[in-house]
């Protein structure tokens, strides 16, 4: 199934004159893939391959688990007026030599440049019958509605913290426990971790540090939320002979975010093992998805007009952590993501976090209307 977001008027005629210069296929319609597609629309014939007709705000999945009714948006509305074709299908294989993508819809898409932005998923190792992940947040919410019991969150990183606090606040009848093999919020400052501990204690979440768990079935709980390591989604790149990281499955890229083995393929977001001189290795996050998606689009547009693409320039600024609906932590960090002691907490931080999340979607809508403005936005362009 496909849909084409048509352009109209003189803008459409101008765009058609430019799109003949290249065909770009974008795999994945998350933050990175959507941003790349929207920014490339004025310069190329763009096909966005994603099975869903909805764009999901992944950074709100903890809210969905807690009971928020919807965390997605109409993809057709988001792409309206851009000229981007949305193919509601999954890529089943890549043929880099033929520059072709095969899909489960039966269509084969040829490309001049490919954007690999399939995102990430929770590592399934250790999951069992009673386990849920952030990706299955809707199913977890249904389980919570079945009746109170004991919920154990495995993982003391930001996902585990957000899930534990959100659910404990919204479902006080459930007994919530958080297990982590190391220290909770290990990437936070001393002040940041102290605030997280205070909120968890206030919400009645029992924290057990230094508690390693081999699998969810071995956890004594009615339900388990597995918030473990993230891995790049799918094995398409590896199966096609592209060089990938053996641990995370991310596509290895150069400074321009081109595949080190196939330079006509770019990667963005969680699928890219990207690094910059200031930030070092980029972690998987919305904060890196939007700028890498934007950068890939600019690099491809440069190549299509015969110019050399520039290397990615990026540095971290803050980490934002929800702690229920009325509290949060805004952790100031150095460019390389190491924490500073400066933090913002409480309701002011919750308001800032909400605006950060909303702005991610606002920027995508802006990219649909005025893609040329995106490179001017600090931290994204």
């Amino acid at each position: 199934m496909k849909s084409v977001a048509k352009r109209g008027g003189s803008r459409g005629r101008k765009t058609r004159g430019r799109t003949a210069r290249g065909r770009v296929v974008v795999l994945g319609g998350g933050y990175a893939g959507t941003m790349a597609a929207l920014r490339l629309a004025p310069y190329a014939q763009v096909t966005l391959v994603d099975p869903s007709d909805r764009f999901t705000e992944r950074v709100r999945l903890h809210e969905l688990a807690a009971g928020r009714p919807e965390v997605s948006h109409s993809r057709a509305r988001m792409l309206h007026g851009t000229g981007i074709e949305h193919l509601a299908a999954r890529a089943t294989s890549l043929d880099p030599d033929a520059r072709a993508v095969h899909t489960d819809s039966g269509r084969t898409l040829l490309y001049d440049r490919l954007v690999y932005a399939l995102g990430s998923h929770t590592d399934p190792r250790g999951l069992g019958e009673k386990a849920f992940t952030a990706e299955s947040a809707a199913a977890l919410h249904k389980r919570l509605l079945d009746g109170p019991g004991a919920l154990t969150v495995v993982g003391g990183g930001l996902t585990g913290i957000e899930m534990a606090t959100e659910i404990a606040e919204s479902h006080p009848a459930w007994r919530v426990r958080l297990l982590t093999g190391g220290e909770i919020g290990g990437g936070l400052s001393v002040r940041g971790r102290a605030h997280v501990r205070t909120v968890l204690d206030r919400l009645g979440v029992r924290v057990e540090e230094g508690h390693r768990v081999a699998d969810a079935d071995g956890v004594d709980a009615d339900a388990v939320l597995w918030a473990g390591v993230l891995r790049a989604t799918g094995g398409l790149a590896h199966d096609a002979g592209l060089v990938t990281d053996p641990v995370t499955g991310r596509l290895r890229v150069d400074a321009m975010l081109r595949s080190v083995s196939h330079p006509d393929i770019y990667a963005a977001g969680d699928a890219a093992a990207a690094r910059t001189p200031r930030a070092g290795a980029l972690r998987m996050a919305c904060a890196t998805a939007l700028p890498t998606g934007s950068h890939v689009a600019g690099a491809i547009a440069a190549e299509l007009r015969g110019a050399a693409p520039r290397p990615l320039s990026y540095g971290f600024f803050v980490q934002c952590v929800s702690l229920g609906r009325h509290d949060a932590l805004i952790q100031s960090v150095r460019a390389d993501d190491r924490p500073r002691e400066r933090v913002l907490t409480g309701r002011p931080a919750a308001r800032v976090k909400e605006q950060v999340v909303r702005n991610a979607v606002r920027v995508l809508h802006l990219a649909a209307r005025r893609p040329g403005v995106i490179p001017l936005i600090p931290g994204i362009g």
Side-chain angles (χ1 to χ4, degrees):
M1 182 178 181
K2 69 175 183 177
S3 61
V4 180
K6 295 182 179 179
R7 293 187 184 272
S10 60
R11 184 182 177 189
R13 289 192 294 273
K14 184 177 181 182
T15 299
R16 284 194 295 271
R18 293 185 299 207
T19 56
R21 300 184 64 179
R23 298 165 298 181
V24 178
V25 173
V26 179
L27 300 183
Y31 292 99
T34 301
M35 173 60 80
L38 291 170
R39 273 212 60 204
L40 276 165
Y43 308 104
Q45 177 184 326
V46 179
T47 302
L48 176 63
V49 181
D50 190 285
S52 177
D53 63 357
R54 308 285 296 179
F55 169 83
T56 297
E57 292 186 77
R58 185 168 178 175
V59 294
R60 288 195 190 273
L61 289 179
H62 57 285
E63 298 178 42
L64 184 64
R68 187 184 179 101
E70 185 61 81
V71 297
S72 66
H73 306 264
S74 166
R75 196 177 299 280
R77 184 174 299 175
M78 185 171 282
L79 301 181
H80 178 72
T82 63
I84 296 170
E85 176 190 355
H86 171 223
L87 178 61
R90 296 182 186 277
T92 55
S93 64
L94 306 180
D95 185 343
D97 294 331
R99 290 188 173 184
V101 177
H102 303 286
T103 72
D104 61 4
S105 70
R107 281 187 63 187
T108 295
L109 304 172
L110 302 180
Y111 62 83
D112 298 299
R113 295 291 184 276
L114 176 72
V115 178
Y116 193 88
L118 290 176
S120 63
H121 65 282
T122 304
D123 192 328
R125 289 174 292 185
L127 296 183
E129 293 183 359
K130 60 182 177 182
F132 301 86
T133 66
E135 295 87 350
S136 59
L140 173 58
H141 177 59
K142 291 180 180 179
R143 175 64 186 89
L144 295 174
L145 293 178
D146 287 341
L151 168 71
T152 294
V153 178
V154 179
L158 303 190
T159 298
I161 292 169
E162 290 193 324
M163 282 288 185
T165 52
E166 196 83 35
I167 292 171
E169 180 184 80
S170 61
H171 293 75
W174 277 80
R175 301 185 306 278
V176 181
R177 179 174 59 152
L178 191 155
L179 307 181
T180 176
E183 186 177 27
I184 191 163
L188 302 174
S189 66
V190 173
R191 291 181 62 190
R193 286 195 301 274
H195 183 68
V196 168
R197 291 176 188 278
T198 297
V199 175
L200 288 167
D201 183 65
R202 171 167 53 81
L203 294 173
V205 178
R206 194 174 104 207
V207 176
E208 296 181 21
E209 296 175 302
H211 189 142
R212 296 192 178 277
V213 177
D215 58 73
D217 287 336
V219 177
D220 182 17
D222 298 299
V224 177
L225 188 285
W226 194 264
V229 177
L230 292 177
R231 287 186 59 84
T233 296
L236 286 180
H238 177 270
D239 294 344
L242 280 68
V243 176
T244 59
D245 183 274
V247 177
T248 64
R250 305 172 91 182
L251 191 64
R252 286 192 171 171
V253 295
D254 63 14
M256 277 64 70
L257 302 189
R258 298 176 300 199
S259 163
V260 296
S261 57
H262 296 75
D264 53 345
I265 298 177
Y266 283 77
D270 291 359
R275 60 186 305 116
T276 69
R278 285 196 301 156
L282 303 191
R283 59 181 163 87
M284 297 181 179
C286 173
T288 53
L290 288 173
T292 55
S294 177
H295 176 83
V296 160
I300 292 175
E303 285 192 330
L304 292 177
R305 64 175 182 265
R310 295 180 179 179
L312 174 67
S313 175
Y314 180 81
F316 290 98
F317 180 61
V318 294
Q319 292 185 26
C320 303
V321 191
S322 290
L323 301 172
R325 290 298 81 212
H326 308 293
D327 206 331
L329 170 68
I330 307 300
Q331 171 70 69
S332 177
V333 299
R334 295 176 174 82
D336 62 0
D337 211 25
R338 289 181 298 130
R340 302 177 186 272
E341 281 305 315
R342 186 168 62 249
V343 299
L344 179 67
T345 62
R347 287 182 180 271
R351 288 193 288 269
V352 171
K353 171 68 188 296
E354 178 61 23
Q355 288 306 310
V356 169
V357 173
R358 291 187 182 188
N359 282 341
V361 176
R362 289 171 180 153
V363 166
L364 291 174
H365 283 297
L366 179 62
R369 301 192 310 271
R370 301 182 63 190
V373 172
I374 300 303
L376 305 178
I377 301 177
I380 293 179

